[in-house]
Structures are given as C-alpha cells and as structure tokens.
Amino acid sequence: MELDERKKKILKAVIANYLETGEPVGSRTISKYTDLNLSSATIRNEMADLEELGYIVSPHTSAGRVPTDKGYRFYVDNIMEEKEEIEEVKSSLLERVDRMELMLKQVAKVLAYNTNYATMVTAPNYRKTVKFIQLSQVDLDNLLAVIVVEGNIIKNQMIRVNVPLDNEDVLKFNILLNTFLQGAALEDINLEMIQAMKKQAGEYEVILDQIFQGIVEAIHEANELEIYTSGATNILKYPELGDISKTSELLETFEDKNELTHLLEKTINSESEDGIQVYIGDETPVQNMKDLSLVTATYKMPEGATGTIGIIGPKRMDYKKVVSTLKNLTIELDDIFKKGKGENTDGN
C-alpha cells in the first residue's frame, strides 16, 4: 500500500521526533510537531494505520510509537529525498598529511567526533601485483627470497635447496622470476605460466615451487583489508543500546578485524550508484549489529583503487546528517587525492 501525503508527513514527524529524543512518540506530540492542523484523534487513527502497515510499533511500556526497520527504510529511501542543502564539511578537519595511514585514521577520528557514532575506514584496495623478487644465497643449503608486493608489502621466504647453486645460477633465477612475475597479480599466475617457468628452471623446478608458495602468501597478506576504527564507545551513549551483554558483544565485534572485513566486503559487493549504502537493523550483515544501522560510502583514488567509510549508530541515527556528511567527505577526499597525485602518500 502506497502511503498518502498525510501518512508520509506523520511518519516523518514520528521518526524526526524519535531521532531527537529516543522516546516513544504520541499523537499529542505529533499534533504540535506538524503543520497538518489535525486533531489528536485523527492522528491516532493515521498512526494506527501506519502501525498496521508495519512502519511504526507501540512498545509494551508506552502508549507512544517508535519506528520499525521498515519505517526507517521508507524514511531513507523516500522522505530523505526532500532533504535540505547538504552541509559543507570544513576542509580544516582533513588537513593534508603525508602518510595515507595517518590521513585515514584522522578521517575515522573526525567522523566519530562530529557524528557521535562509531566509524571505520578502510585503506584503498589496490590490485595487488608482484613488484620485485630477489633471491640471495644465505649458505650452500639455503636461499632467501624477498618478495615485494604492491603496497610495499614484503614477504621473506627461507628456501632450503637440495641442489647447490652458484652466484650465476642465482642471477639467472632472479631474471627468470622477474621476467615472468613482475607486475603479475595472483589471478594472472596460471598453469601455462607455471609450466613455461618450470621448463626454463630445469633441475631447479623444486625451488621454483617453494618460491611460488612465498609469493601466494605475500599477495594474500597484502590483500587483507586495513581497517581504522574510532568512536566505538559512542554507542554506549544511547539508552536503547544499553544492554550490557549486547554492548559487550558489539564492542568485541568492532575490534574483530575478520568480522569487520566480512561486513565491509558485503557492502562493497552491493554498492549503490552514488556510492552510499544504508543498512538498517536486520539488513546489517553482521549478527551482533542487528540493533544498529550502518551507512557506508566509497571513496576513489586517481589510480582506480577504492576504499570504504562506514558510520555505525543506533537505528534512530540522524540519517540525513550522516548521508550528507559522507557525501561531502568523499568529495573532500577525492579533491585531496587528486591534488596529491604523484606525491608520496604512502610514506615510502
């Protein structure tokens, strides 16, 4: 059933009041809150219809109503389209810093301070490729393989050799490895490439297999999402999230990198056209966050890599402010990264 304008305005008033106070909203409050000039009795009837349709619910302890996940979803998808001009994000909050890590930590901290919610920011997700491989002889029985992956992730792999190698053999092996693998991502290393390398490696095929193991480990390590968080304790400020056991589980989740990685991978895969995604209650892909809402945005680097910014708060979060803040922040970051293109942003 499509909501008429009167129901939309009443639903908007219920949600706006609840976002502000955190208290169930009654018909008398709505009669003062809107410009409908309706009696409390008429508003009660409309609210009863909204409750029957699943947009609001009456808690057992109160005669007032609170929004349901469906109500919040309708608000985000429809009513928020009537939002006012987006507020400007002050550039001074994102002062240019030389290291990407420091900048993203700063972004998480600023967001948490300004919104009073929990925040998380991921480092850009580059396509991880092999930059360089260097074999060095440690002694007659051991080689050290130093594997450098995009993002300057370095993996050292000790390799025990059964066939004696001299300096010329090691040099040839380095040329072979870099000729085939420099600039290759994990998905580029196929059977045909491996067979071609083994053919050239000849009697050193076993050493080649051991080096491949180190390469795979290095690329997997580089592919792990780097996540910066801030403001986890902000969620303790909201009474509806005051259950100690739930809060404890939530804080543990917020410190669990695997859980956050799972959460952010889900959001990346379902990204909307404008880069903003809103998850309300049960829509949140992590079990311990079902009482919360999550809003994410995607920022882009000039080289094409992307990262995710997420704001986590109660279901009665100020969606308008959060969405506006994220939109402005991604614009701000885009501008910073464009100006910094060609400069050293990773501290190396």
Side-chain angles (χ1 to χ4, degrees):
M1 176 181 174
E2 188 174 338
L3 300 185
D4 58 32
E5 286 305 310
R6 185 194 297 186
K7 285 185 173 62
K8 284 182 183 179
K9 287 186 177 181
I10 291 174
L11 177 59
K12 181 178 180 180
V14 170
I15 293 176
N17 193 271
Y18 186 67
L19 293 182
E20 183 179 339
T21 68
E23 298 292 334
V25 184
S27 57
R28 288 188 64 187
T29 301
I30 298 302
S31 66
K32 301 172 184 176
Y33 202 87
T34 71
D35 58 356
L36 293 175
N37 296 319
L38 298 174
S39 67
S40 292
T42 302
I43 293 174
R44 275 197 300 273
N45 290 335
E46 294 287 5
M47 290 176 70
D49 289 343
L50 288 169
E51 184 170 8
E52 187 176 343
L53 292 168
Y55 291 99
I56 56 177
V57 65
S58 179
H60 297 301
T61 56
S62 172
R65 266 73 161 198
V66 300
T68 62
D69 289 3
K70 182 179 179 180
Y72 285 125
R73 171 51 59 193
F74 186 85
Y75 174 78
V76 169
D77 291 345
N78 298 278
I79 298 174
M80 269 182 55
E81 293 178 0
E82 304 160 11
K83 57 183 173 289
E84 297 90 3
E85 287 296 315
I86 295 174
E87 299 173 5
E88 288 295 325
V89 175
K90 294 182 180 178
S91 299
S92 60
L93 295 176
L94 291 173
E95 295 174 359
R96 185 76 170 93
V97 291
D98 290 332
R99 288 182 61 88
M100 174 70 71
E101 177 184 355
L102 294 179
M103 168 173 280
L104 296 180
K105 284 181 178 178
Q106 186 182 6
V107 168
K109 186 175 180 180
V110 168
L111 272 182
Y113 178 80
N114 284 346
T115 63
N116 239 357
Y117 303 132
T119 61
M120 55 187 176
V121 181
T122 71
N125 187 23
Y126 293 95
R127 182 175 184 265
K128 303 301 189 299
T129 58
V130 176
K131 291 180 71 173
F132 186 70
I133 300 172
Q134 177 68 52
L135 286 182
S136 301
Q137 197 156 25
V138 178
D139 53 42
L140 291 175
D141 300 315
N142 295 283
L143 290 174
L144 173 64
V146 179
I147 304 152
V148 184
V149 181
E150 194 70 44
N152 290 331
I153 302 295
I154 300 174
K155 178 73 176 179
N156 296 324
Q157 180 87 0
M158 287 297 296
I159 301 172
R160 186 169 181 80
V161 294
N162 299 319
V163 182
L165 298 174
D166 58 27
N167 289 337
E168 187 177 346
D169 292 328
V170 174
L171 176 60
K172 288 179 180 177
F173 225 127
N174 277 324
I175 293 172
L176 171 65
L177 290 169
N178 286 288
T179 298
F180 276 88
L181 298 178
Q182 201 169 52
L186 192 59
E187 60 268 24
D188 298 327
I189 303 173
N190 52 37
L191 184 60
E192 184 179 351
M193 179 188 291
I194 294 171
Q195 291 300 330
M197 291 183 69
K198 284 185 175 181
K199 185 176 180 180
Q200 291 196 31
E203 61 182 316
Y204 304 129
E205 180 181 325
V206 174
I207 298 175
L208 186 65
D209 285 336
Q210 292 171 301
I211 294 171
F212 270 129
Q213 180 182 343
I215 293 170
V216 170
E217 289 178 9
I219 295 178
H220 276 308
E221 183 179 326
N223 276 330
E224 289 183 2
L225 276 179
E226 193 66 47
I227 304 173
Y228 310 106
T229 61
S230 186
T233 55
N234 281 345
I235 59 177
L236 303 177
K237 300 175 182 178
Y238 300 93
E240 64 268 38
L241 302 175
D243 184 289
I244 295 177
S245 61
K246 286 186 178 181
T247 302
S248 176
E249 290 176 358
L250 183 59
L251 292 175
E252 287 175 8
T253 299
F254 205 67
E255 296 299 322
D256 188 331
K257 185 176 179 181
N258 290 330
E259 284 279 24
L260 292 181
T261 299
H262 169 69
L263 174 65
L264 290 168
E265 284 175 346
K266 290 282 189 182
T267 67
I268 291 168
N269 292 335
S270 57
E271 179 188 308
S272 63
E273 289 184 8
D274 63 359
I276 301 287
Q277 193 73 24
V278 180
Y279 297 87
I280 299 168
D282 286 337
E283 297 171 356
T284 309
V286 173
Q287 183 60 40
N288 290 340
M289 293 187 177
K290 297 300 183 183
D291 292 329
L292 299 168
S293 286
L294 164 69
V295 184
T296 65
T298 300
Y299 69 87
K300 293 179 172 62
M301 301 291 290
E303 302 87 352
T306 61
T308 302
I309 306 167
I311 297 180
I312 302 167
K315 287 190 281 190
R316 65 179 179 96
M317 72 159 57
D318 189 339
Y319 294 97
K320 186 185 296 185
K321 177 182 178 181
V322 167
V323 170
S324 298
T325 299
L326 285 177
K327 283 185 176 180
N328 279 279
L329 180 58
T330 54
I331 292 170
E332 184 84 17
L333 286 176
D334 286 347
D335 185 54
I336 289 172
F337 294 140
K338 283 175 184 175
K339 287 179 181 177
K341 188 177 180 181
E343 298 176 8
N344 184 15
T345 56
D346 61 9
N348 295 290

